[in-house]
Amino acid sequence: MSARQSCNIFALFIIFATANICFGCLEHERQALIQFKNSLTTSHAPDRLSSWTGNNCCQCLGVGCNNATRHVVRLDLGTNADQLEGNELSLSLLELTHLTYLDLSGNSFGNSPVPGFIGLMTRLEYLNLSFAGFSGVVTHQLRKLSSLRVLDLRDRHVSDMGLIVDDFTWVSGLTSLEYLDLSRVNVTGAQDFDKVLFYKTPSLLELHLSNCELSNHHFDKTHLDSNLTRSGIRALYLSWNMLDGKLPIFLQNLTSLRVLDLSNNKLNSTIPFMKNIVDLNLASNGFAGIQETGVWRLCELKQLDLSFNYMEGRLTIPSECSRYGLEKLLLSENKLTGNIPTSLGRLAALKVLYLDYNLLTGTIPESIGNLTSLTELVLTGNQLTGLIPTSLGNLVLLRRLDLSENLLNGTIPFSIGRLANLEFLYLSWNSLSSIPLSIGNMSQLRFLDLSSNLLHGSVPDSLGQLSKLRFLDVSNNSLSGIVTEAHFANTSNLIHLAAISNYLLNFKISPDWKPPFQLRNIILTSCKIESIFPPWIQTQKHITILMLSNTSIYGPLPDWLYNLTIIPVLDLSHNFLNGPITNLPSNQTTKSPEPPGTFIERLVGYEIESGDSRLLLHKNNLLNGSIPDSFCNTPDIAILDLSRNSLSGNLPDCLGNFSEMYIMILSSNRLSGTIPSSLGKLKSIQWIDISKNDFHGELPNSLSNCTSLNVLDLGENRLSGSIPKWFGEKIHFLVVLRLHNNNFTGRIPEQLCQSSELQIMDFGINNLTGTIPRCFQNLNGMTGGDSNLYAFSGFEQSVFQVMGGILLEYTTIMRYVINLDLSNNNLAGEIPEGLASLSGLLGLNLSNNHLTGRIPDKIGNLSSLMSLDLSANSLSGMIPQSMSSLTFFSHLNLSYNNLSGRIPTGMQLQTLMEPWIYAGNNGLCGSPLPKSCSRVEVSAAKPQNIDRNEDDDVEKIWIYSIASGFMTGSIGILGILVLVKRWRLAFFSFWRFT
């Protein structure tokens, strides 16, 4: 045989040896896979099965073949996303007779039952049907899978619509089974399941029964069976069940047990002695203290989790044998007190230590530097004081160090620079004073949070050597000096830069600088930039948050800003910008290849989902000109604030294209014209504030389509016509309606009483006529009815209400803001008695009208009232004695009426002694007026019998709070927005730093 023939034969051998690659899989198995594919829909995962074409099914995604036989032996379609869907599992899988591995987890099979034909796939060694949308009783045919080693049937939740195991006898047929996961499967009705699982399946090594609604009675007799000692189970997971009191006694008899998870139950007594346990999880139970658990007797213990038990007492480390081998100790979220014991330093094997959110005091002991095996040290959320010990520099294996939210002071030690493996360093919310130069030596550092300290001096330019740094936050300190390009020389991985409220920190960056990074979050509020809009920002292509508020930038918006991708959160407020707003970022450019909503970053101690909203803020600048139609090229904006500028002209009709807008604030400008009817297209809008402009004409009826409105502020314009009835008929969630200082005429429509959530109604300074609707007494929002609690957080609100000539600004001083202002109109008739039932009212202003009759006798029922102005009317009769019971009065004006009789005394009225309060009422007498009362007047002034029980059923005030603020300007009346989670998160990312 020639050499050439030998080579040809060898080549043919190679071809046949790799036949599955050259010729593909067996045809009947390829057809079976095609049938299986056709039984599925891929609407949620259009690309999942795109490779399932051609003759070689062995190259299809998720398909594995035996190289020698060409048989399909592996089908791996498990997923955490991109779900495949089917009505049921296709019978075509039976054609894959050599299949040993089948993973369909995370897909959806329409709540169909687990098919019995799987029991015929007898070569299976691995079967994973978890979270796959199966339901009903698990088929007993699985008992035929004698080769099965792994069975995972985890369900999404325990319910009648999920998987049910009614009998465990089939499990005993799985003679090779080593791993069984039945988490969230309903097993509570199965008889003697414990015997089958614990000793009739001798091959079983790991058993998961988490979240199966198991309680102590399911194990009442388990410990009586002597066969338990034959169990080979090494890992048992019983978390998220209903075990309470004592631990089930049978656990002592599982002599092979090494790992035991009993977290999220209600256990509270001493742990039975289990000599071989190495990993014990008792988190989220009810243990009173560490000593009471008896865990220190477990001599082989390497991992212990007692987090979220709210245990009290001191943290002690006894001398029992367990301490020598302990590698992981988790004691988070308890109530441990006292100092961190120096004996902790004897746990030489310790790798992970979490003592966060306890009540620990004193200093961090130097002995902690002896724990040279530590990779994670978390002490956040205690009351630790003193200096950070220099011995921490000995922990050279440390990857995470979190000392935030304590009372630590002094300098950050120079020795911290020796932590060359550290990736996460959190020191925020302490009283630390300076940053060491050595911080630049931490070459693996990815997250650095030094915010909310007392840091002063300059920022070391050694930070520029942290090439792996992604997150940098030095906000809320007193840093000073110059920040230059050197501070970022090698920070090519940086995506988050925050330096909020360092008023003396000056960013002096060359206009020609080409930064090495691509930032997502640029948050420099209240630092110094003192230049035109920073040119280097135009190099950043993936910005999600850009906050340059109060940085003294000036000049017009640059032309290149228009070419940037839309920036979801953009705050340029409180600067000296001028010119038109035509250069805002446009969506005409290519979107970022990585959507901003695909990542979660830690932002000043909170997890926020970035990019989940689109926020544009240019308030408090000198922007001028009209709002151009090109502005509407950014229709994804959800939060818009252009208030306190010099914008003029009409509102463009295209504003109605902002279908996702939730908040529109254009107050304090020079805008004019009529309100465009296109605003009625804003179906998602919850807050509109166009106050303090020059709008005129009537309100367009199309606004009635904005049925989600909570806040509508149209005050200080020249609007006219009658108040529309549709306010009450169609906008049922309106909480703030402000029409102050316009030209509205006609009667107050009674339909407003259908807006049961109304809390602030300000119609002052208009030309309204008629009487005050008596139905106002039924407004749930003002009486504290059953309505939802509205809680607003994030920033300071300024709500201006005119009361008797005094401009009151409701800010954080007033936690409860409920006001009714109908002043300066032409209202007539009597004050409805029912107004006295608005027990949540803080401010009532009916001044400068033509009201007659008496002040309601029960006005004293307005127990929260702080301001009452009834001046300049024609009210008569006596001042009700019940007013003396009002304890929160800070402003009262009853002047220029026809009141008579003695002025009541007592309680808060004693502090309101200015005579002008009662001026122009010739029939009044008594202090503080100079006119004394005669005997007749005194007699007539005796309090009438008042039925104090009649209104006992009036509900308590409905409170909604405005948290302390971060904004200096008025954004109208905020607070009442009922925003979904993504908007609350977006609010945090903005309001916290404004």
Side-chain angles (χ1 to χ4, degrees):
M1 182 180 294
S2 67
R4 183 172 182 177
Q5 288 174 321
S6 297
C7 289
N8 289 338
I9 292 173
F10 180 74
L12 287 173
F13 173 77
I14 295 297
I15 291 172
F16 281 110
T18 58
N20 67 309
I21 297 176
C22 297
F23 298 109
C25 56
L26 299 174
E27 178 61 20
H28 74 282
E29 293 187 351
R30 187 183 73 85
Q31 291 294 335
L33 288 173
I34 294 300
Q35 290 182 47
F36 177 64
K37 174 186 176 181
N38 292 337
S39 72
L40 302 172
T41 59
T42 59
S43 57
H44 292 94
D47 298 326
R48 280 285 303 281
L49 301 181
S50 60
S51 65
W52 285 37
T53 58
N55 294 324
N56 191 357
C57 62
C58 295
Q59 292 183 345
C60 297
L61 181 67
V63 178
C65 297
N66 183 295
N67 286 341
T69 66
R70 298 163 53 197
H71 283 295
V72 175
V73 296
R74 182 183 181 94
L75 186 57
D76 186 357
L77 295 176
T79 182
N80 292 322
D82 299 331
Q83 204 176 64
L84 298 172
E85 296 179 345
N87 293 327
E88 59 184 3
L89 200 58
S90 173
L91 194 64
S92 62
L93 291 180
L94 275 181
E95 297 296 323
L96 307 178
T97 56
H98 288 72
L99 203 63
T100 61
Y101 185 104
L102 178 59
D103 186 350
L104 299 174
S105 60
N107 293 293
S108 178
F109 290 93
N111 290 323
S112 62
V114 177
F117 72 75
I118 289 183
L120 302 177
M121 305 171 72
T122 55
R123 292 178 184 261
L124 279 179
E125 298 177 9
Y126 180 98
L127 177 59
N128 189 344
L129 302 179
S130 62
F131 309 122
F134 291 107
S135 65
V137 176
V138 175
T139 175
H140 297 186
Q141 297 301 315
L142 295 182
R143 69 180 183 276
K144 299 177 182 179
L145 302 179
S146 58
S147 299
L148 199 64
R149 300 174 63 185
V150 174
L151 176 58
D152 191 342
L153 296 175
R154 282 174 295 167
D155 206 356
R156 288 189 170 90
H157 48 78
V158 181
S159 71
D160 294 337
M161 292 297 294
L163 288 174
I164 301 170
V165 174
D166 64 340
D167 186 350
F168 273 95
T169 55
W170 58 271
V171 178
S172 59
L174 306 178
T175 54
S176 301
L177 193 65
E178 297 177 359
Y179 177 100
L180 176 61
D181 196 336
L182 297 173
S183 299
R184 301 183 188 85
V185 175
N186 189 341
V187 302
T188 55
Q191 296 297 316
D192 296 331
F193 76 92
D194 47 346
K195 294 181 181 179
V196 175
L197 296 177
F198 293 134
Y199 72 85
K200 289 188 177 181
T201 313
S203 60
L204 193 61
L205 301 177
E206 185 168 333
L207 174 61
H208 293 254
L209 292 172
S210 296
N211 214 333
C212 289
E213 298 186 355
L214 296 172
S215 59
N216 296 61
H217 81 268
H218 289 103
F219 302 102
D220 280 346
K221 298 180 180 179
T222 305
H223 67 284
L224 300 176
D225 202 314
S226 59
N227 291 313
L228 280 177
T229 55
R230 294 162 44 193
S231 170
I233 291 180
R234 296 184 179 181
L236 177 60
Y237 297 84
L238 293 171
S239 62
W240 292 98
N241 279 293
M242 296 184 291
L243 303 173
D244 61 355
K246 296 182 179 180
L247 268 71
I249 300 176
F250 81 92
L251 295 173
Q252 296 178 88
N253 297 335
L254 299 178
T255 54
S256 298
L257 199 61
R258 298 291 185 273
V259 178
L260 178 60
D261 185 352
L262 293 168
S263 60
N264 292 281
N265 282 283
K266 297 179 180 179
L267 302 168
N268 57 23
S269 66
T270 304
I271 307 298
F273 182 68
M274 297 174 285
K275 64 178 182 179
N276 295 318
I277 289 290
V278 297
D279 186 345
L280 180 60
N281 190 343
L282 299 173
S284 298
N285 276 282
F287 295 102
I290 297 178
Q291 298 300 324
E292 288 79 358
T293 64
V295 294
W296 297 129
R297 296 179 296 121
L298 308 179
C299 296
E300 301 297 321
L301 204 59
K302 293 186 180 298
Q303 298 189 42
L304 173 63
D305 190 348
L306 281 166
S307 303
F308 295 93
N309 274 281
Y310 305 103
M311 297 182 298
E312 298 181 347
R314 300 179 70 86
L315 173 61
T316 56
I317 306 295
S319 58
E320 278 87 345
C321 56
S322 61
R323 67 181 179 84
Y324 296 110
L326 200 62
E327 297 178 357
K328 186 175 183 179
L329 178 60
L330 306 180
L331 296 172
S332 306
E333 295 281 357
N334 283 291
K335 297 181 180 180
L336 300 175
T337 58
N339 295 353
I340 297 175
T342 57
S343 58
L344 190 68
R346 297 202 298 265
L347 300 178
L350 204 60
K351 296 179 180 178
V352 177
L353 176 60
Y354 277 68
L355 296 175
D356 50 308
Y357 296 103
N358 279 279
L359 302 173
L360 299 172
T361 55
T363 60
I364 302 172
E366 288 283 345
S367 64
I368 209 162
N370 298 334
L371 304 178
T372 54
S373 297
L374 270 183
T375 60
E376 297 183 46
L377 175 60
V378 179
L379 303 178
T380 186
N382 283 284
Q383 300 167 28
L384 301 172
T385 57
L387 306 177
I388 297 175
T390 57
S391 64
L392 281 181
N394 300 335
L395 309 182
V396 294
L397 299 180
L398 209 60
R399 291 187 296 106
R400 177 184 292 269
L401 176 60
D402 191 344
L403 306 179
S404 59
E405 298 180 50
N406 280 287
L407 304 172
L408 301 171
N409 55 41
T411 61
I412 301 171
F414 191 87
S415 63
I416 206 167
R418 299 204 298 265
L419 304 181
N421 291 298
L422 198 67
E423 297 178 25
F424 302 90
L425 177 58
Y426 300 116
L427 299 176
S428 60
W429 295 97
N430 280 287
S431 298
L432 301 171
S433 58
S434 64
I435 307 172
L437 288 171
S438 63
I439 204 163
N441 299 332
M442 303 165 74
S443 57
Q444 300 300 311
L445 201 61
R446 296 169 56 202
F447 278 67
L448 177 58
D449 188 353
L450 303 177
S451 63
S452 300
N453 276 283
L454 301 176
L455 298 175
H456 59 267
S458 60
V459 178
D461 58 12
S462 60
L463 281 175
Q465 304 308 311
L466 301 178
S467 60
K468 295 188 176 180
L469 193 66
R470 292 173 61 80
F471 180 103
L472 174 61
D473 194 341
V474 294
S475 300
N476 300 308
N477 282 289
S478 299
L479 294 168
S480 59
I482 306 298
V483 176
T484 68
E485 299 89 334
H487 288 86
F488 307 104
N490 296 313
T491 57
S492 57
N493 286 296
L494 195 65
I495 62 172
H496 178 97
L497 172 62
I500 300 159
S501 296
N502 286 281
Y503 296 96
L504 301 177
L505 195 61
N506 202 328
F507 284 77
K508 293 288 187 182
I509 306 293
S510 167
D512 300 324
W513 182 49
K514 297 295 187 289
F517 46 63
Q518 283 293 319
L519 293 176
R520 292 173 178 169
N521 304 332
I522 306 172
I523 308 174
L524 303 179
T525 298
S526 296
C527 293
K528 287 186 177 181
I529 295 179
E530 296 179 330
S531 71
I532 61 172
F533 202 97
W536 64 267
I537 290 176
Q538 66 184 301
T539 67
Q540 306 300 294
K541 305 302 182 184
H542 311 308
I543 300 177
T544 299
I545 301 174
L546 177 58
M547 302 177 67
L548 301 179
S549 174
N550 194 28
T551 56
S552 298
I553 56 176
Y554 55 81
L557 297 176
D559 293 342
W560 52 259
L561 188 61
Y562 180 79
N563 296 321
L564 291 184
T565 302
I566 291 176
I567 300 172
V569 179
L570 178 57
D571 185 358
L572 304 177
S573 61
H574 300 87
N575 281 297
F576 304 103
L577 297 170
N578 56 39
I581 61 173
T582 53
N583 290 332
L584 292 177
S586 167
N587 67 345
Q588 294 176 347
T589 56
T590 304
K591 290 284 186 179
S592 166
E594 182 176 3
T598 60
F599 71 98
I600 294 179
E601 295 291 0
R602 174 173 171 167
L603 182 57
V604 194
Y606 290 83
E607 296 289 334
I608 73 155
E609 188 173 352
S610 300
D612 208 17
S613 69
R614 301 194 174 275
L615 197 148
L616 178 62
L617 294 158
H618 290 325
K619 61 175 292 186
N620 265 354
N621 279 289
L622 301 172
L623 298 174
N624 55 49
S626 60
I627 300 176
D629 287 340
S630 60
F631 177 79
C632 300
N633 292 332
T634 57
D636 292 332
I637 291 175
I639 301 175
L640 171 67
D641 188 348
L642 293 172
S643 61
R644 296 195 179 187
N645 279 283
S646 298
L647 297 172
S648 59
N650 298 342
L651 291 182
D653 278 340
C654 62
L655 286 180
N657 299 338
F658 289 74
S659 58
E660 296 297 322
M661 184 170 287
Y662 278 70
I663 300 174
M664 177 189 290
I665 305 175
L666 302 173
S667 60
S668 299
N669 279 285
R670 300 173 184 173
L671 298 169
S672 59
T674 59
I675 298 174
S677 60
S678 59
L679 291 189
K681 299 178 182 179
L682 303 177
K683 299 298 178 62
S684 299
I685 198 76
Q686 296 188 10
W687 177 14
I688 295 177
D689 183 354
I690 57 174
S691 62
K692 299 183 177 71
N693 280 287
D694 194 31
F695 293 111
H696 63 268
E698 298 186 5
L699 298 182
N701 287 330
S702 62
L703 278 180
S704 64
N705 298 325
C706 302
T707 55
S708 297
L709 265 177
N710 297 141
V711 177
L712 179 61
D713 190 347
L714 306 175
E716 289 83 28
N717 281 287
R718 293 189 294 120
L719 298 169
S720 59
S722 59
I723 298 176
K725 297 178 181 179
W726 44 257
F727 274 134
E729 293 173 337
K730 295 186 177 181
I731 307 180
H732 298 299
F733 301 106
L734 201 59
V735 182
V736 175
L737 177 57
R738 189 168 181 271
L739 307 178
H740 189 88
N741 198 359
N742 277 283
N743 296 317
F744 287 104
T745 57
R747 303 175 66 90
I748 300 173
E750 294 197 359
Q751 286 80 2
L752 279 175
C753 299
Q754 299 176 33
S755 297
S756 57
E757 309 295 334
L758 265 175
Q759 303 245 341
I760 295 178
M761 193 190 316
D762 184 353
F763 298 165
I765 313 181
N766 279 282
N767 296 309
L768 299 174
T769 57
T771 59
I772 300 172
R774 295 188 176 275
C775 63
F776 274 10
Q777 68 191 62
N778 300 321
L779 290 174
N780 289 339
M782 296 187 180
T783 60
D786 296 331
S787 306
N788 294 326
L789 181 70
Y790 288 93
F792 333 116
S793 61
F795 61 95
E796 183 173 356
Q797 235 358 271
S798 299
V799 179
F800 295 99
Q801 303 291 350
V802 177
M803 294 185 176
I806 296 179
L807 188 65
L808 299 181
E809 182 178 0
Y810 292 91
T811 59
T812 57
I813 299 172
M814 294 186 177
R815 293 184 58 204
Y816 317 124
V817 183
I818 298 177
N819 185 61
L820 176 60
D821 188 342
L822 302 177
S823 63
N824 290 278
N825 282 286
N826 293 309
L827 299 174
E830 298 185 355
I831 300 174
E833 288 281 344
L835 285 186
S837 67
L838 301 180
S839 57
L841 213 56
L842 292 186
L844 176 60
N845 189 349
L846 304 177
S847 64
N848 287 285
N849 280 287
H850 305 292
L851 299 173
T852 57
R854 301 171 61 91
I855 299 174
D857 286 337
K858 296 182 180 179
I859 198 166
N861 291 349
L862 300 178
S863 55
S864 300
L865 200 64
M866 300 178 70
S867 177
L868 175 64
D869 191 340
L870 303 178
S871 62
N873 280 284
S874 299
L875 300 172
S876 59
M878 299 171 58
I879 299 173
Q881 182 65 32
S882 66
M883 285 182 63
S884 64
S885 65
L886 298 176
T887 57
F888 296 104
F889 253 169
S890 60
H891 174 72
L892 173 65
N893 192 348
L894 301 179
S895 62
Y896 298 99
N897 280 284
N898 297 316
L899 301 173
S900 59
R902 186 184 185 92
I903 297 173
T905 59
M907 302 295 283
Q908 197 71 10
L909 285 179
Q910 294 294 104
T911 67
L912 302 175
M913 301 302 291
E914 294 86 355
W916 62 262
I917 293 175
Y918 307 101
N921 290 280
N922 295 329
L924 287 178
C925 61
S927 179
L929 296 178
K931 180 182 178 181
S932 60
C933 297
S934 67
R935 182 175 301 178
V936 174
E937 290 167 331
V938 171
S939 176
K942 289 182 180 179
Q944 304 297 316
N945 290 329
I946 299 175
D947 183 2
R948 299 186 181 272
N949 298 318
E950 182 177 337
D951 284 349
D952 283 350
D953 61 344
V954 175
E955 295 173 295
K956 294 182 179 179
I957 180 173
W958 180 19
I959 297 172
Y960 65 86
S961 61
I962 296 181
S964 63
F966 307 94
M967 306 193 70
T968 56
S970 165
I971 305 185
I973 306 167
L974 172 82
I976 303 96
L977 300 179
V978 185
L979 298 177
V980 294
K981 177 183 177 183
R982 65 191 184 114
W983 298 113
R984 290 199 303 271
L985 294 174
F987 268 154
F988 170 77
S989 65
F990 156 51
W991 299 125
R992 179 173 173 80
F993 308 119
T994 303

